[in-house]
Amino acid sequence: AYCLCRQPSQIPINILSIEQPQPTHFSRKFPSHHHTALAKSRLALIMAEGTMGPSKPQVLVDSFTTTNTSAVATGGFNPADVSDMMIPEMSSDVLIVPKKENSAATSMPRLDSTSHSGSDQIVSNASRQTEAPSEYFSVVSDLTSLSDSQGKRSGSNRTHTGSQIIHDSNVARRSLEDKMNPMAKLGWKKVGLVGRKEQIAKIKQTVQQQMFPTSDPEQASLVQESPKKQKTLLSLSGPSGVGKSALALQTLESILESTATVAKQPLYYSAMGKWSLTNTDEPLSILRRIFFQIGEQVQERDPETRQRILEEFQQEKDVLAWWMPALLQAETDSSSAEAETPPSFDHNQLRYVTTSLLATIDRPIAIVCDDIQWADPTSIALLKHWATDNSINKLLIIVTYRSDEVDTSHEVTRNLLEPLEQDDKIVDVPIGPLTEDQTEELLTELLALPSDVETSEFSLHVHKSTGGNPFYMVSFVQSLVDELLLAYNLGTMKWTWDLDGIKAATSVSDNVVDIVKNTLTSWSRACALLPVAATLGSSFEVGTLAGICSALEADDKVSVERDFGLGALPAASEIHTWLKECEDGGFLTSIKVKENDGTTFKFVHDRIQEAALGLLTPSKLERLESAIGRAIASQITDDSGVVQESASDYLVFTAVNLLAAHQEVDAVETAISRSHYAFLNQAAGDRSTAKSSFKLAVRYYDTAVGLLSEGDWREKREFCAKVYSGAAWSSFCAGDAEQMLYYADVLLSREEVPILLKSSTYHTKIQYLCNADRHMEGIVLTLELLEALGIRIPKTKAGATVDTLAGLVKSQRKIRRMSEVDIEKLPIAEDRKELAIARTLDTLSSAAYHGKVELVPIAALMLFNRTLKYGLTKWSAPAFSLLGLIMASGLEDFASTKSCYHLSIAAQKRTPSKDMGARLLFLNHQYLAHWFITAQNSLRQLHEAYRIGLMDGDIESGAWTICFYHENAMQSGRPLMLVHADAVTYTKQLKDYSMLKQKRYTTWTWQATRNLMGSDLTTSKLSGSITTEEAEMAHFKQTKDKAMELAFVRVQMFLAVSLGDYERCANIALATADEIVERLPSQPANIRVRFNAALSALIMVQRGHRKFKRLATKNAGVLRTWAKKGNPNCLHLDAFLDAEKARADRKQYAAIKSYESAVILSARQGFLHEQALANERYADLLFGLGRTEDALTQVQDAIKLYREWGAMSKVNQLESLISGSAR
């Protein structure tokens, strides 16, 4: 009858006989009244469609109360049973109207009708005077789902007119089915919230406290004063299917919607990412999707935040194009806004870039990370960093994971949950199965059952069959509907079930995946297409799936129908239609992944994806994955097997991972050639390295290494070198020194490989040795590489000194004659060997600074001369800076130093390189600029270098920059509260970035700041709660790092002078001052080394200790020379020392004049602390002269300045002095 609905006059009525329940779609014997309802309901649909046609008002009528059911049961049919019905007021919705006896004549007039085939009459639209009672109305049951779905399940090759039972339009029909489906009306999507009151309350409390704390004064102060107490991660854990995702999303949505009161200035941002069990190896793809969503929200609703982000990342548009392309669409064509080629990210750079983006937004942000048990390690590390970084305000990360898959050894536990639990940053919300009572509540809500309906036995069986798992329940109930064991009675407008039949037909041991598989098998198109789609992940693009289907059909090695039993796959033009049918069946849903994307689908639940994969046996699934991997590989590689640069990361990782299902090499070769598979793994390794997923990269490189043969070293030397070089670098970055050394030594030992192909591996090993404080070994290896490249360096100190002196004189003359115009005329070097030499000379200059200092000027001079001879490289700019350092520290030629400063900037403009930006700022403003500009200007540039270093991936330069910034800030008089705040921030960041040496360096300044502020014991020893002198000296003894030890002594001297312990400072200076300046040349802090040595020595001389006179004379003389040559940071110090020298010579009035000059010059230059010290020393002189009132005035001025600086220890000292004077 259904198939012939367009031709009702030809319906064989005996089809509707329900005496023997034999129709093929009935799999269980069912009570006759259900068959009666089904048969008559379908007949009503048939008559409605056949009579009215698609253009007429669509009204469904039923006659469940008719007494003539026997006619139908025996094969007869009376059209009057259909026509003798009441019709309520018409609407655009389809309605079911149960007949109420004797109401037609009294309630409503007889309506006009139209006839069809002479006798079949059905009421059509007409005017009416009386509206039917409200109890007559009900949303239509799942008639269309029960009928139309049979057409979809029967296969795509069968055609019938009944496939559009209500509407000729597929789109309209789906919309209508949504309205008709009782599941949609009866809370099908709300089951995740049943029985979860406690969890909802906990989630709401956490969201409110973390994202919107200002409404609660106590919480607002908590966020401002103690960011460590914030709960930045909300963890929802439990078995699959208990409703973790639904609970998180629905609860969060309700909170955020109630909070959003501003239309175009959103109070919050929210985004979601979901990992898949089949694409766990593609790094960062899900987090990038999260940033896509946030970027689109910013672009659409928040112009103020968009402008702030664009200003912050003005120089890093490629970063925005990769993470938030929507923000650039106003400036570029929307189709090209997204970065075509992903930028390479160092793992620390990755942290900084993403953290900066989130911090710049400066609004509450909620990020939902679903199924994090499948997340890649890089994403897990980033989430942990965001959760612990205090620069991101009001960020809440909500993660869900399967508790039965995450044990104590899992990556999520070790690197996310445990660290955050130790920091008290996590709120854990465990979610378990529902109880028996909650199961009954769920079924009651799901089926909209009245309170008087007895469901206990039914719900108990459902609970036993599903273990109280909500998703299992939904799947289980849906299977009962599909098997007609649970039906919606249109007569009573209630769901009915046969409990005995359900118990007989179902088993408590039934698995939800098996239930879903059984459902899938009845949908031929889903059964054919979804296993292919499931191999691509939890979500996939239609275009990708279409290409794979076409490739599989064209693959002569496999037959989809013969080998896998899936049935024919759709043509590219039909793929979207098939997917829509799968969406109608409740297996898929369409989503928007990124801007302008409307062709992406995802599986409704992981279990459906698993069920789709489970339709194939393990061996067949492996063969299918192999075929799909081969199909993708053919699309992204050239004829030689090399992966195209334009190939997306998604396709590269999907192809290589699907092919990786074949563990044996021989099995791989049946799917793809050995060399092609090696190329794929090398490409995956390169792309993993670019995204800082180094452990994953090692795995790919290791696979590629295993595929190489001895013959490949002769025929494919460059490829072999790339694989081993990449493996060595990724192993080094992953912290596996042993594996790195293995790969490096194998490559370096291959005599047939040219030195240029080995060069990068040499540098990897050199960097490893230097990072391990094995600088001498690193220098030896660097010299070995230079010799292999044809460059000889003097190996003795005497030879190095001679070459340096001769070279300096020549270079000094060249520098004096050069200008930025000459840099513009130089060519750009392109020769590979010359580039390798330039890089190695630059490496030598860095390594030698910590091992053989005499080699630094030689490397700089050679690089400078080769630049003039062969052209500019990206290492030329640092060479100019190093040459300027030598001019300043060796020749005290500050004019040439300034020239080198400007030449280096000009060279960088000619050869811009991101990995050199931070380093050049570091060299110029730590070693050159302070000779001719004020310290405050250099501080700003050093801080900018730190930001650029983190943004561009030069973490080491950025880390050293912030160390020196911190030390210079303290020694140049920056308010101590700010210095202290910087120390708290930067020591944590340096620890997060694994820059442990730089972190140690910064703690010294932090400890000195605390001593000056009075936060720790007021002592001139550099000891307290952060570190102690004893611990540091023990460390230096162990590491033998003389440069670090001298830098520590430099901070000791500053603290001793600042707290008035001049004898301690003088003794330290007597032993180490000259060594500090020689070993750490041309640094701003060395100005204070000379000043502190001279000042403390002069004061000791005034006290009668003549042994310090030579120390005072030498250091004061050096400062006088620097001041005369125009160093703006030495003028006030020179005047200060003049006063002390006058006092030592008992020239009191000359001393008074010099003190006054020192006070004025210090104030003019902004050196707050040294102005206060000059006032203090001036007061001391006046007290000695008996001018107590004038002395007290100077002391008061000093107290005011020290208080302004934040040195409360000094304030307390001087206030005690005033009290003593008063007594």
Side-chain angles (χ1 to χ4, degrees):
Y2 169 68
C3 296
L4 298 173
C5 64
R6 292 283 186 181
Q7 301 172 344
S9 61
Q10 301 177 20
I11 296 177
I13 297 299
N14 60 0
I15 283 182
L16 298 179
S17 171
I18 47 86
E19 284 187 320
Q20 301 295 327
Q22 297 298 326
T24 57
H25 57 269
F26 286 93
S27 58
R28 306 279 185 261
K29 185 173 180 179
F30 223 58
S32 61
H33 69 275
H34 288 268
H35 292 285
T36 304
L38 177 65
K40 292 184 68 64
S41 300
R42 288 195 173 179
L43 185 59
L45 287 171
I46 293 167
M47 302 308 295
E49 173 68 3
T51 304
M52 296 183 294
S55 61
K56 303 293 180 63
Q58 294 141 11
V59 183
L60 300 183
V61 297
D62 208 346
S63 56
F64 302 120
T65 56
T66 179
T67 58
N68 198 15
T69 56
S70 60
V72 177
T74 57
F77 177 69
N78 184 358
D81 289 338
V82 177
S83 61
D84 188 20
M85 298 179 185
M86 305 177 319
I87 304 298
E89 176 152 345
M90 308 299 286
S91 70
S92 60
D93 292 337
V94 179
L95 304 174
I96 290 295
V97 187
K99 181 178 179 181
K100 199 166 187 177
E101 295 296 337
N102 302 322
S103 60
T106 57
S107 300
M108 306 180 71
R110 182 73 178 181
L111 303 179
D112 295 334
S113 64
T114 57
S115 63
H116 185 76
S117 301
S119 60
D120 300 339
Q121 294 184 343
I122 192 165
V123 183
S124 67
N125 188 18
S127 59
R128 60 195 55 77
Q129 298 176 351
T130 308
E131 197 171 293
S134 60
E135 62 265 21
Y136 282 21
F137 296 87
S138 174
V139 174
V140 86
S141 74
D142 201 13
L143 288 173
T144 305
S145 296
L146 288 172
S147 57
D148 194 31
S149 63
Q150 296 295 329
K152 293 176 186 175
R153 299 177 193 184
S154 62
S156 59
N157 296 327
R158 297 182 62 180
T159 58
H160 47 267
T161 57
S163 62
Q164 297 176 337
I165 192 73
I166 300 296
H167 225 283
D168 284 341
S169 166
N170 284 338
V171 175
R173 190 189 77 240
R174 281 193 295 271
S175 175
L176 187 59
E177 288 173 1
D178 287 340
K179 296 176 182 179
M180 294 169 62
N181 191 343
M183 297 298 185
K185 176 176 186 300
L186 302 179
W188 193 259
K189 297 182 179 180
K190 297 181 181 179
V191 295
L193 302 184
V194 172
R196 306 300 188 193
K197 292 182 180 179
E198 293 182 6
Q199 291 91 338
I200 292 173
K202 202 169 185 179
I203 294 172
K204 286 185 175 181
Q205 180 184 17
T206 305
V207 172
Q208 186 65 42
Q209 290 179 353
Q210 176 60 20
M211 296 181 64
F212 310 103
T214 52
S215 59
D216 183 346
E218 182 178 348
Q219 291 298 327
S221 63
L222 176 69
V223 172
Q224 294 171 1
E225 297 175 10
S226 184
K228 291 184 178 180
K229 295 182 180 180
Q230 297 181 53
K231 306 294 186 180
T232 53
L233 189 132
L234 180 62
S235 163
L236 277 64
S237 59
S240 172
V242 294
K244 303 181 293 294
S245 306
L247 183 62
L249 291 173
Q250 293 182 34
T251 306
L252 181 64
E253 182 180 1
S254 66
I255 297 172
L256 296 182
E257 285 182 352
S258 65
T259 311
T261 57
V262 183
K264 295 186 178 181
Q265 291 279 332
L267 294 178
Y268 65 88
Y269 292 103
S270 61
M272 178 188 175
K274 175 180 174 56
W275 279 269
S276 167
L277 77 162
T278 56
N279 63 354
T280 58
D281 285 345
E282 185 184 355
L284 301 177
S285 59
I286 304 303
L287 294 189
R288 187 177 175 220
R289 185 176 300 174
I290 286 172
F291 273 92
F292 275 11
Q293 297 171 41
I294 296 175
E296 289 171 352
Q297 294 173 41
V298 171
Q299 172 69 17
E300 181 181 350
R301 296 180 289 168
D302 198 348
E304 179 184 338
T305 298
R306 176 182 180 273
Q307 185 61 34
R308 190 162 58 247
I309 294 175
L310 291 177
E311 291 175 358
E312 180 71 18
F313 290 83
Q314 186 174 4
Q315 304 301 322
E316 292 84 21
K317 292 295 181 64
D318 59 330
V319 172
L320 281 184
W322 181 246
W323 291 102
M324 291 184 172
L327 301 185
L328 300 177
Q329 289 178 359
E331 302 179 3
T332 60
D333 181 75
S334 60
S335 61
S336 61
E338 183 180 342
E340 296 180 1
T341 304
S344 296
F345 290 105
D346 174 87
H347 63 289
N348 288 325
Q349 175 194 13
L350 192 61
R351 293 177 179 181
Y352 182 80
V353 166
T354 53
T355 301
S356 297
L357 279 170
L358 294 173
T360 305
I361 291 176
D362 196 30
R363 294 188 189 276
I365 304 172
I367 294 175
V368 180
C369 300
D370 196 15
D371 283 324
I372 199 174
Q373 73 273 2
W374 294 321
D376 56 285
T378 306
S379 297
I380 293 173
L382 268 183
L383 290 172
K384 179 207 166 194
H385 181 75
W386 297 344
T388 57
D389 194 294
N390 295 331
S391 65
I392 308 176
N393 294 321
K394 302 176 184 176
L395 169 68
L396 180 63
I397 301 171
I398 304 175
V399 300
T400 72
Y401 64 90
R402 296 183 180 182
S403 55
D404 52 347
E405 295 185 19
V406 177
D407 57 17
T408 55
S409 63
H410 197 281
E411 182 91 16
V412 170
T413 304
R414 291 184 293 105
N415 296 329
L416 181 67
L417 302 180
E418 285 184 354
L420 292 182
E421 188 174 357
Q422 292 172 4
D423 291 345
D424 196 24
K425 295 267 187 185
I426 189 171
V427 175
D428 185 34
V429 182
I431 302 174
L434 299 179
T435 64
E436 293 179 5
D437 291 340
Q438 291 168 342
T439 299
E440 187 171 8
E441 180 186 353
L442 183 148
L443 291 174
T444 301
E445 180 177 332
L446 179 66
L447 305 177
L449 298 174
S451 57
D452 59 343
V453 175
E454 174 59 38
T455 61
S456 57
E457 290 189 32
F458 178 47
S459 65
L460 181 61
H461 180 74
V462 172
H463 185 271
K464 289 181 178 179
S465 299
T466 62
N469 187 296
F471 178 73
Y472 292 10
M473 291 183 199
V474 172
S475 301
F476 183 78
V477 171
Q478 182 65 61
S479 70
L480 298 181
V481 174
D482 292 340
E483 299 295 337
L484 300 181
L485 297 172
L486 174 67
Y488 191 69
N489 191 311
L490 296 176
T492 61
M493 298 297 166
K494 295 178 182 178
W495 289 92
T496 59
W497 56 86
D498 177 14
L499 188 57
D500 293 334
I502 292 174
K503 289 180 178 181
T506 59
S507 170
V508 174
S509 61
D510 283 350
N511 184 283
V512 67
V513 173
D514 295 330
I515 294 174
V516 178
K517 281 166 58 178
N518 291 336
T519 305
L520 281 172
T521 55
S522 63
W523 293 67
S524 60
R525 289 185 171 181
C527 189
L529 187 60
L530 291 187
V532 178
T535 63
L536 303 179
S538 61
S539 63
F540 52 88
E541 292 186 1
V542 175
T544 301
L545 183 60
I548 290 173
C549 289
S550 299
L552 287 176
E553 291 292 341
D555 194 337
D556 57 1
K557 292 186 178 182
V558 295
S559 168
V560 174
E561 296 181 75
R562 182 190 68 242
D563 296 334
F564 310 123
L566 294 180
L569 294 173
S573 59
E574 298 177 330
I575 192 81
H576 203 278
T577 301
W578 281 43
L579 289 172
K580 277 297 184 183
E581 289 192 5
C582 293
E583 184 177 23
D584 293 341
F587 307 119
L588 300 175
T589 182
S590 58
I591 60 173
K592 180 180 180 182
V593 173
K594 56 188 179 182
E595 189 69 21
N596 300 325
D597 175 33
T599 57
T600 299
F601 284 81
K602 74 170 184 177
F603 285 91
V604 171
H605 197 276
D606 300 320
R607 290 300 189 182
I608 296 178
Q609 183 187 2
E610 293 177 38
L613 294 171
L615 290 173
L616 300 176
T617 64
S619 60
K620 287 185 176 181
L621 177 60
E622 188 174 301
R623 290 197 64 197
L624 176 63
E625 289 174 340
S626 173
I628 294 174
R630 184 172 60 251
I632 298 175
S634 66
Q635 298 174 6
I636 62 176
T637 58
D638 59 22
D639 294 337
S640 62
V642 178
V643 177
Q644 302 167 6
E645 291 186 5
S646 59
S648 70
D649 289 350
Y650 169 73
L651 291 179
V652 171
F653 286 109
T654 301
V656 74
N657 291 331
L658 289 175
L659 291 169
H662 300 275
Q663 299 298 322
E664 299 296 331
V665 172
D666 292 340
V668 173
E669 288 183 320
T670 63
I672 187 173
S673 72
R674 186 188 191 105
S675 61
H676 283 205
Y677 189 49
F679 279 122
L680 271 175
N681 277 278
Q682 185 254 340
D686 289 348
R687 296 181 185 225
S688 297
T689 300
K691 294 184 175 182
S692 300
S693 294
F694 300 115
K695 292 182 180 179
L696 183 62
V698 171
R699 195 180 80 195
Y700 289 124
Y701 286 128
D702 191 57
T703 302
V705 166
L707 293 166
L708 298 177
S709 64
E710 188 63 28
D712 291 329
W713 285 102
R714 296 186 299 272
E715 300 171 2
K716 302 174 182 176
R717 290 180 300 180
E718 186 170 357
F719 174 67
C720 292
K722 284 182 178 180
V723 171
Y724 273 87
S725 179
W729 174 251
S730 57
S731 298
F732 167 66
C733 294
D736 192 337
E738 182 179 355
Q739 197 168 20
M740 181 277 294
L741 291 172
Y742 165 76
Y743 288 124
D745 291 342
V746 168
L747 178 57
L748 298 182
S749 66
R750 302 296 301 203
E751 295 180 358
E752 66 269 36
V753 178
I755 188 64
L756 290 179
L757 296 180
K758 297 179 179 180
S759 177
S760 61
T761 305
Y762 265 107
H763 286 284
T764 298
K765 191 170 181 179
I766 292 167
Q767 186 172 347
Y768 158 72
L769 292 171
C770 292
N771 286 0
D773 287 330
R774 296 160 61 181
H775 296 285
M776 291 306 300
E777 295 177 60
I779 292 170
V780 171
L781 195 60
T782 308
L783 294 175
E784 178 185 316
L785 176 57
L786 283 170
E787 189 168 349
L789 291 168
I791 305 298
R792 299 185 65 85
I793 302 290
K795 295 184 178 180
T796 64
K797 189 170 184 178
T801 302
V802 172
D803 283 7
T804 299
L805 292 176
L808 273 178
V809 173
K810 294 179 181 178
S811 299
Q812 187 180 33
R813 289 198 296 265
K814 292 178 183 178
I815 289 294
R816 288 176 175 176
R817 293 195 301 265
M818 288 185 69
S819 67
E820 289 90 336
V821 176
D822 297 304
I823 299 295
E824 292 293 330
K825 296 178 181 179
L826 289 174
I828 304 297
E830 297 179 352
D831 180 71
R832 287 183 64 185
K833 182 177 180 180
E834 185 55 37
L835 293 173
I837 292 173
R839 180 185 180 186
T840 309
L841 286 171
D842 181 76
T843 299
L844 177 62
S845 67
S846 298
Y849 190 86
H850 298 279
K852 298 184 70 174
V853 183
E854 65 271 14
L855 294 180
V856 174
I858 291 181
L861 288 169
M862 292 186 72
L863 191 48
F864 167 70
N865 288 320
R866 296 188 76 88
T867 294
L868 298 184
K869 184 176 181 179
Y870 298 105
L872 291 165
T873 67
K874 71 176 184 178
W875 298 280
S876 297
F880 281 109
S881 298
L882 287 172
L883 192 58
L885 183 157
I886 298 166
M887 293 293 173
S889 60
L891 304 179
E892 292 190 349
D893 182 357
F894 301 146
S896 294
T897 298
K898 187 173 183 179
S899 296
C900 288
Y901 173 87
H902 293 294
L903 291 173
S904 69
I905 296 174
Q908 187 196 31
K909 290 179 180 178
R910 289 289 315 281
T911 56
S913 175
K914 279 197 166 186
D915 58 350
M916 286 294 167
R919 186 177 174 210
L920 193 65
L921 277 176
F922 166 57
L923 290 173
N924 282 345
H925 289 275
Q926 176 60 16
Y927 296 102
L928 308 186
H930 65 88
W931 295 112
F932 48 87
I933 66 175
T934 61
Q936 287 78 3
N937 286 331
S938 287
L939 280 179
R940 286 193 289 269
Q941 294 299 321
L942 287 173
H943 194 273
E944 177 65 9
Y946 175 64
R947 188 193 71 83
I948 292 175
L950 297 185
M951 187 70 72
D952 293 343
D954 187 3
I955 306 300
E956 186 170 8
S957 293
W960 280 119
T961 297
I962 207 62
C963 290
F964 291 121
Y965 162 83
H966 203 237
E967 181 184 18
N968 296 343
M970 179 184 71
Q971 297 206 16
S972 61
R974 180 173 168 83
L976 294 177
M977 285 294 294
L978 298 180
V979 178
H980 186 274
D982 286 342
V984 174
T985 299
Y986 297 134
T987 50
K988 180 186 181 303
Q989 290 182 2
L990 292 171
K991 180 182 178 181
D992 290 342
Y993 299 146
S994 300
M995 297 287 109
L996 301 183
K997 180 180 285 190
Q998 293 87 337
K999 171 185 174 291
R1000 177 178 292 275
Y1001 196 113
T1002 307
T1003 58
W1004 308 333
T1005 309
W1006 187 4
Q1007 184 60 64
T1009 302
R1010 292 182 63 83
N1011 287 13
L1012 288 168
M1013 295 170 61
S1015 301
D1016 282 341
L1017 294 175
T1018 303
T1019 172
S1020 59
K1021 287 184 63 176
L1022 192 54
S1023 297
S1025 59
I1026 306 301
T1027 189
T1028 64
E1029 289 188 355
E1030 293 75 16
E1032 296 299 329
M1033 289 303 175
H1035 173 77
F1036 300 138
K1037 185 177 181 180
Q1038 179 183 0
T1039 60
K1040 296 181 174 57
D1041 192 335
K1042 194 61 179 179
M1044 289 285 283
E1045 181 180 353
L1046 293 173
F1048 177 76
V1049 171
R1050 190 163 62 189
V1051 180
Q1052 284 181 307
M1053 292 177 61
F1054 177 81
L1055 180 62
V1057 166
S1058 298
L1059 291 177
D1061 194 345
Y1062 302 110
E1063 183 176 2
R1064 172 178 167 81
C1065 181
N1067 285 316
I1068 294 175
L1070 196 62
T1072 59
D1074 289 341
E1075 188 179 8
I1076 291 173
V1077 175
E1078 292 172 7
R1079 190 69 178 78
L1080 307 173
S1082 193
Q1083 296 186 12
N1086 288 348
I1087 295 175
R1088 266 71 191 187
V1089 169
R1090 292 298 189 188
F1091 171 71
N1092 292 331
L1095 176 65
S1096 58
L1098 284 169
I1099 292 175
M1100 295 308 295
V1101 169
Q1102 295 167 23
R1103 295 176 181 176
H1105 300 278
R1106 306 301 294 177
K1107 69 175 184 177
F1108 295 106
K1109 185 173 182 180
R1110 185 175 179 182
L1111 177 67
T1113 302
K1114 179 178 181 179
N1115 286 280
V1118 172
L1119 272 179
R1120 171 62 56 87
T1121 301
W1122 291 350
K1124 285 184 176 180
K1125 290 188 175 184
N1127 189 320
N1129 300 296
C1130 294
L1131 298 176
H1132 66 296
L1133 301 178
D1134 184 48
F1136 201 145
L1137 293 178
D1138 278 345
E1140 296 297 339
K1141 284 186 287 186
R1143 288 185 68 177
D1145 294 336
R1146 301 184 185 279
K1147 297 177 181 179
Q1148 312 299 351
Y1149 291 102
I1152 290 174
K1153 185 176 180 180
S1154 294
Y1155 276 133
E1156 291 175 347
S1157 178
V1159 169
I1160 293 172
L1161 289 173
S1162 297
R1164 185 179 299 167
Q1165 295 289 349
F1167 296 109
L1168 192 69
H1169 61 311
E1170 283 157 349
Q1171 181 186 356
L1173 182 59
N1175 283 122
E1176 181 186 351
R1177 292 293 300 158
Y1178 186 12
D1180 183 69
L1181 173 62
L1182 294 175
F1183 275 124
L1185 295 176
R1187 295 169 56 179
T1188 304
E1189 291 297 327
D1190 292 337
L1192 289 174
T1193 300
Q1194 293 299 323
V1195 171
Q1196 292 289 357
D1197 289 344
I1199 288 174
K1200 179 182 177 182
L1201 292 168
Y1202 279 130
R1203 194 185 301 277
E1204 186 177 347
W1205 186 35
M1208 298 309 297
S1209 295
K1210 290 295 296 185
V1211 171
N1212 295 335
Q1213 279 185 8
L1214 295 183
E1215 287 180 343
S1216 299
L1217 176 65
I1218 292 176
S1219 300
S1221 299
R1223 288 195 298 271

